[in-house]
């Protein structure tokens, strides 16, 4: 999901844009701020053209989905092979990576620490991985554990539910808490077959689709489309 004013609980607002990013949106969240490990930015086998590296919203999703060679499920599986645990978020992105298209996957490891794993969006190769060493790492880990304890759905079922509601391609997902009532939800961003970007919110307890709406570009106003659920 994109970190724009019109979005309120979105994976793109909480997933790292770079290894040095330190933002959490909406109170607690599974996405964790990671300390910069000082290493070089990973280079993916997929490079976006210069004119596609700084697009916003739907145009960015369209360009990245077209260039991407592996699915979110494949990227997540690769990350979990590298770091056993539970995936809490993933995002297809190229921010601040000189056009390198990657999947950024966050895993709450079996070591009870949060890890970020960078996957090449072309080859599926693990390009980089590091552990959360922020000053608030212990608190973040406790919050993530609480979210995982409340989750009965999992990222696989959540993304499947989102794709049933909106056929297309998942470009991000994140386990988080709902700003309105504090419940645990999965936020899934789908680039639909209608060539529009959709935000789908899944109840992490029941697996029910709580809300879905189209991400309108800024010049199209703030009418978010229609709500819905799957049954």
């Amino acid at each position: 999901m994109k970190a724009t004013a019109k979005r309120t609980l979105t994976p793109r607002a909480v997933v790292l844009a770079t290894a040095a990013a330190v933002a959490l949106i909406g109170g607690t969240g599974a996405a964790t701020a990671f300390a910069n490990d000082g290493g070089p930015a990973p280079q993916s086998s997929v490079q976006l053209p210069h004119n596609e590296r700084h697009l916003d919203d739907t145009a960015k999703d369209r360009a990245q989905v077209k260039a991407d060679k592996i699915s979110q499920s494949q990227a997540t599986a690769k990350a979990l092979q590298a770091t056993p645990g539970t995936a809490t978020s993933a995002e297809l992105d190229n921010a601040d990576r000189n056009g390198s298209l990657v999947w950024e996957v966050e895993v709450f490891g079996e070591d009870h620490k949060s890890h970020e794993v960078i996957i090449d969006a072309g080859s599926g190769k693990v390009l980089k991985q590091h552990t959360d060493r922020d000053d608030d790492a212990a608190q973040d880990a406790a919050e993530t554990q609480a979210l995982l304890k409340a989750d009965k759905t999992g990222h696989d079922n959540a993304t499947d539910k989102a794709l049933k509601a909106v056929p297309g391609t998942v470009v991000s997902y994140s386990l988080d808490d709902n700003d309105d009532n504090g419940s645990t939800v999965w936020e899934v961003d789908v680039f639909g077959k209608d060539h529009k970007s959709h935000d789908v919110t899944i109840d992490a307890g029941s697996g029910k689709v709580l809300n879905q709406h189209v991400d309108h570009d800024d010049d199209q106003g703030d009418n978010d489309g229609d709500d819905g659920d799957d049954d």
Side-chain angles (χ1 to χ4, degrees):
M1 310 317 211
K2 291 87 174 170
T4 59
K6 62 181 176 293
R7 293 193 177 193
T8 56
L9 182 62
T10 64
R12 291 200 175 177
V14 295
V15 179
L16 293 173
T18 69
V22 287
L24 283 174
I25 304 301
T28 61
T32 305
F34 287 81
N36 189 349
D37 64 2
Q43 295 296 311
S44 169
S45 63
V46 178
Q47 300 287 316
L48 292 182
H50 285 280
N51 63 338
E52 294 182 349
R53 295 180 185 181
H54 304 290
L55 298 173
D56 293 324
D57 301 333
T58 302
K60 181 178 181 179
D61 282 346
R62 183 182 298 112
Q64 294 187 158
V65 166
K66 184 178 180 179
D68 181 39
K69 304 301 181 185
I70 66 170
S71 68
Q72 60 82 21
S73 59
Q74 291 172 314
T76 300
K78 290 285 187 179
L80 291 174
Q81 287 176 4
T83 304
T86 303
T88 56
S89 72
E91 180 189 13
L92 180 65
D93 200 14
N94 73 296
D96 297 327
R97 300 191 185 280
N98 298 319
S100 288
L101 188 63
V102 298
W103 280 96
E104 299 175 340
V105 184
E106 292 188 6
V107 177
F108 189 73
E110 293 178 353
D111 58 1
H112 302 288
K113 296 179 181 179
S114 295
H115 304 261
E116 184 186 51
V117 186
I118 307 298
I119 306 294
D120 189 313
S123 67
K125 179 181 178 181
V126 175
L127 299 177
K128 193 173 184 179
Q129 59 188 95
H130 60 276
T131 304
D132 177 21
R133 303 188 187 283
D134 186 84
D135 291 340
D136 297 325
Q139 179 180 344
D140 293 338
E143 292 170 352
T144 300
Q145 284 182 304
L147 291 174
L148 289 172
K149 184 177 180 180
D151 177 40
K152 307 300 180 185
T153 301
H155 63 86
D156 280 338
N157 289 331
T159 53
D160 285 347
K161 289 279 188 178
L163 290 173
K164 287 180 181 178
V166 181
T169 302
V170 172
V171 294
S172 71
Y173 66 78
S174 181
L175 181 66
D176 212 330
D177 60 349
N178 190 318
D179 282 342
D180 294 333
N181 57 25
S183 64
T184 303
V185 296
W186 285 96
E187 289 286 337
V188 184
D189 187 4
V190 177
F191 184 68
K193 291 183 177 180
D194 58 0
H195 301 287
K196 297 178 181 179
S197 295
H198 300 255
D199 298 338
V200 186
T201 303
I202 310 292
D203 187 295
S206 67
K208 181 179 180 180
V209 176
L210 299 176
N211 179 275
Q212 63 187 77
H213 64 271
V214 175
D215 173 31
H216 293 284
D217 292 336
D218 291 341
D219 60 355
Q220 294 178 356
D222 292 328
N223 182 8
D224 282 335
D226 53 308
D227 296 341
D229 71 39
D230 59 341
D231 45 46

